Amino acid sequence: MNLKKDPLNLIITGVGGQGNVLASQIVATAGIKAGLYVTVGETYGASQRGGPVMSHVRFSQKAQPSPLIPEGQADVVVGLEPAEALRVIADFGNPSTRVIVNPRPVYPIWVLSGQAKYPPVEEIVETLAGLVEKVDVVQASENQAGMGANMILLGALAGSGIVPVSAEYFEEAIREIVPPVDLASNLEAFNKGKRAF
Amino acid sequence: MPTVDLNQPGKTLLMMGNEAIARGAVEAGVDFAAAYPGTPSSEILEALARVADKLGFYVEWSTNEMVALQAATAAAFSGLRSLVAMKQNGVNVCSDFLMGVNLTGINGALVFMACDDPSGISSNNEEDSRNYARFADLPLLEPATFQEAKEMTRWAFEVSEKLKLPCMLRSVTRLSHSRGNVTLGEITREQRSARFEGTFVSGAFVPAQHALLHAKLEQARELFENSEFNFYEGPEQAKFVIVTSGSGLVYSREAVSGLGLQEEVGILKLGTTWPLPEKFIIDHLRNAAEVLVIEEVDPFLEQNIKVLLAEEVKNLGPIVVHGAKSGHCPAFGEINQEKVTRALATLNGREYKTRDEDYAQRAKQALFAVPPRMPTFCSGCPHRAAMWAIKAALKLDGRNGFVTGDIGCYALGAGPAGYWQIKTLHCMGGGIGLANGFGNLGQFGFDQPVIAVCGDSTFFHAAIPALINARFNNSSLLMAVLDNGGTAMTGFQPHPGSGFDARGRTAPVILIENLCEAIGVPVLVRDPFEVEQSIEDVYDMLQEDGAKVIVFRRRCFRIEAKENLQQKYVVDQAKCIGDDCGCARFCSRVFNCPGIIWDQEAKKAVIDENVCTGCGVCASLCPQGAIVAQGVKS
């Protein structure tokens, strides 16, 4: 396996509670199984839920990468939430960045309280498309509780082949990391995402 | 999640820095570990607690960092290998004891793990704990990678044992909370028995003890001169050398290669930063004309190296040192690859651009459309209701009362989540301490009521002496203990009121109200979801002189939802009359729970199934009674 760029930079972004950290842990474990150096840097604010969460996952064949991706250096962005995907592209995007995004908004409290506006999702996707190489919209929050969106997008990432780590390593990592009671539903969600691609 | 007891030497795993530290302790055969939770340090003891019974060592969550250090020290006095872990603020808490145990020394091993939080990502301040090592004359190690976090922790036990001194390790958020490759080593376990012998009395001939401490530090320096954790990489006779420690190593490496300066710039990486391995540094700076010091937060290395270079000026000649003072490595906020690359580029006449300027401008412009996401209480959080009751009662009272804050999730009460009620915020226990003073300003015409909010874990950690003071000195204040059953902000670690300990064993429950009663202050326990009654209680208590306590007791919803099925709530679209109601969209705009959103087309409130946790507090607040339970959440 060869990285088209070293380090290869992935950002998984969303809102606290969407399973961002778990997703980054799985993709990174899969990378280590593929024999790579992988570093995951998490950035989250002071709140357990509701704040923006961003995981920087960096893959290298040469050395342990530093934990934060520099400005404009994201190769692929997985957005569990559309506005967060755009927030990340503003700082880390470049014309050859790929984006995989779940179009389901989670409204910030300032939007709920009327102090800020949330743009229409189509507008967000359009803006993204104008800034990056390709945007893939993957419906990942169809079921009512919104569970499994992280796994569906992870499946889509594995299916896209942008990160050169085989889906088998992803599945192995899921089996190791996800608690047994949630394993079947998570694998199902992962495969659903993989097929969507 | 990788368990830190996996006995497969040579296997490479993805590990969080804190797990690597825990693994290092396990490989070293740790006997005793104590900590108080605090970001970014909590996962060290959590990881150890998961394997403690299996491997046969002792762990505890202590009530605060001072007690944790003292407990771990007792184990070390008795010849065991012990570890204590805490965040930067915890080092302040236990510093008084630290400044005595350095003088007495120890018997076994004591590894003192300090995790700093540059930029205050999960803290109310930023500080550099390395200063404590110099302040207390203790040996200091700074891991640079995940692998080193493990190896250095393991080695720190040996250093401590050899010198009979606590050995300090300093990590930062980007190491403790990041994940990366760690190759496992062997787990050693020795059957050690504990026995106390000797005398450890600080203050017995202080100058002699202090002199002995300095001698031990010289021994540490000799040990450090040959440490594998100090190394140089780059061209042999580099004129320009980056001197760095900790997180600075990976940033520096990427900056050098990113600018293509591998043939010109060397990196002198120091893993042992107090006392400095002076000979090693001098040897590697012999050909240098310029040095750039890269480190996180204070110019600790920079200043110590400047002193060393001044002392050696006859041998080395003048060397220009760049760093915090020259403005190249800021002495505040996190550093990262970009900051280091920019500094290196400026000093070497290179250009550094992250992306095309037109593109960057276009991308940044997109940000205007993205609404800010302020941190808020989770949907279902009992603090939202408690802060609402406090706000309503203070308004009813009408004397311009205010809230002094403390450390925990409820600190968000200083912002929109808690209706901007909290007006002061400093350290654990700071709120009730300040309230003590405000409550005794009456003779100066002060007539504003003061409410100190404080979490349950914080109550046990740091609030009790201040509450006793309030009773002793008859200060007028209301203390509101927001008791959600655990240390929620750091991941729900247990405390003396939780009923279980670090290993999940049943523990006696110490009731906050019993302690208050013993102190002799009036105390009331209230479920904050009884909102109207809560408002009345707070109002009534504000009318009384002296110190009073209200305990708002309701378990954190994140734990409650895991253990019990939750009700599903919906907005009855026939009952919600939207903006005709006159409630100003109370549920979404005013009470501001993120679980309730506004349906733009129907112009009515609607529950967001993805966010709502089914706590139901909004149902009791909606003036139309439009929010109703409808079965059980799936």
Side-chain angles (χ1 to χ4, degrees), chain B residues 263-282:
Chain B
E263 303 302 318
E264 290 152 64
V265 174
I267 298 175
L268 183 60
K269 182 271 190 190
L270 299 175
T272 67
T273 46
W274 190 256
L276 283 182
E278 294 182 349
K279 287 195 203 89
F280 174 84
I281 294 170
I282 292 162

Side-chain angles (χ1 to χ4, degrees), chain A residues 91-106:
Chain A
D91 285 335
F92 300 96
N94 66 63
S96 50
T97 305
R98 292 277 302 266
V99 174
I100 298 172
V101 65
N102 174 21
R104 174 70 157 83
V106 177

Side-chain angles (χ1 to χ4, degrees), chain A residues 7 14-15 17 21 24-26 28-29 32-33 35-52 58 63-73 81 83-84 86-95 97 104-119 123 127 130-132 141 143-147 176-178, chain B residues 1-2 11-16 19 39 43 121-122 145-146 174-175 177-182 250-251 253-254 334-338 342 352-355 359-360 362-364 366-367 369-379 384 409 412 416-417 420 488-492 558 568 585 588-590 592-598 608-611 613 633-634:
Chain A
V15 176
V21 174
S24 70
Q25 231 181 305
I26 288 167
T29 301
I32 287 184
K33 287 177 185 298
L36 297 168
Y37 287 102
V38 189
T39 301
V40 188
E42 319 274 8
T43 66
Y44 38 86
S47 68
Q48 296 267 11
R49 288 193 173 196
R58 315 187 73 193
Q64 194 79 51
S66 70
L68 295 179
I69 297 168
E71 188 191 59
Q73 302 298 310
E81 206 279 345
E84 292 314 310
L86 186 51
R87 201 191 304 280
V88 163
I89 287 299
D91 285 335
F92 300 96
N94 66 63
T97 305
R104 174 70 157 83
V106 177
Y107 296 110
I109 55 163
W110 277 15
V111 169
L112 299 178
S113 63
Q115 289 160 279
K117 283 223 169 349
Y118 195 100
E123 247 173 58
T127 311
L131 287 168
V132 302
S141 298
N143 70 339
Q144 57 167 4
M147 303 303 281
E176 276 176 27
I177 295 168
V178 172
Chain B
M1 188 165 298
K11 188 175 169 69
T12 301
L13 296 177
L14 179 78
M15 272 191 165
M16 189 188 231
E19 291 167 343
T39 314
E43 296 81 4
I121 295 165
S122 305
T145 62
F146 308 102
R174 291 298 169 203
L175 179 64
H177 267 189
S178 297
R179 292 181 161 86
N181 301 51
V182 175
V250 279
Y251 300 136
R253 277 179 178 158
E254 288 173 4
E334 276 195 306
I335 55 167
N336 55 36
Q337 188 203 315
E338 281 169 80
R342 200 151 280 138
Y352 173 56
K353 242 173 45 182
T354 51
R355 54 183 175 177
Y359 178 89
R362 219 154 44 83
K364 294 271 184 202
L367 217 47
V370 183
R373 203 176 285 277
M374 302 294 285
T376 185
F377 297 130
C378 309
S379 57
R384 179 177 287 107
C409 290
L412 289 175
W420 311 95
M489 193 162 201
T490 49
F492 225 80
R558 299 198 64 203
K568 179 180 167 185
R585 302 187 196 175
S588 63
R589 283 198 167 174
V590 184
N592 210 201
C593 174
I596 311 164
I597 55 180
W598 187 254
D608 184 341
E609 275 281 327
N610 283 353
V611 182
T613 49
K633 269 179 98 76
S634 54

Side-chain angles (χ1 to χ4, degrees), chain B residues 383-415:
Chain B
H383 296 339
R384 179 177 287 107
M387 292 307 297
W388 178 261
I390 286 170
K391 171 191 147 106
L394 283 173
K395 199 172 168 197
L396 269 177
D397 176 88
R399 286 176 291 165
N400 208 12
F402 61 98
V403 179
T404 57
D406 224 298
I407 306 297
C409 290
Y410 51 91
L412 289 175

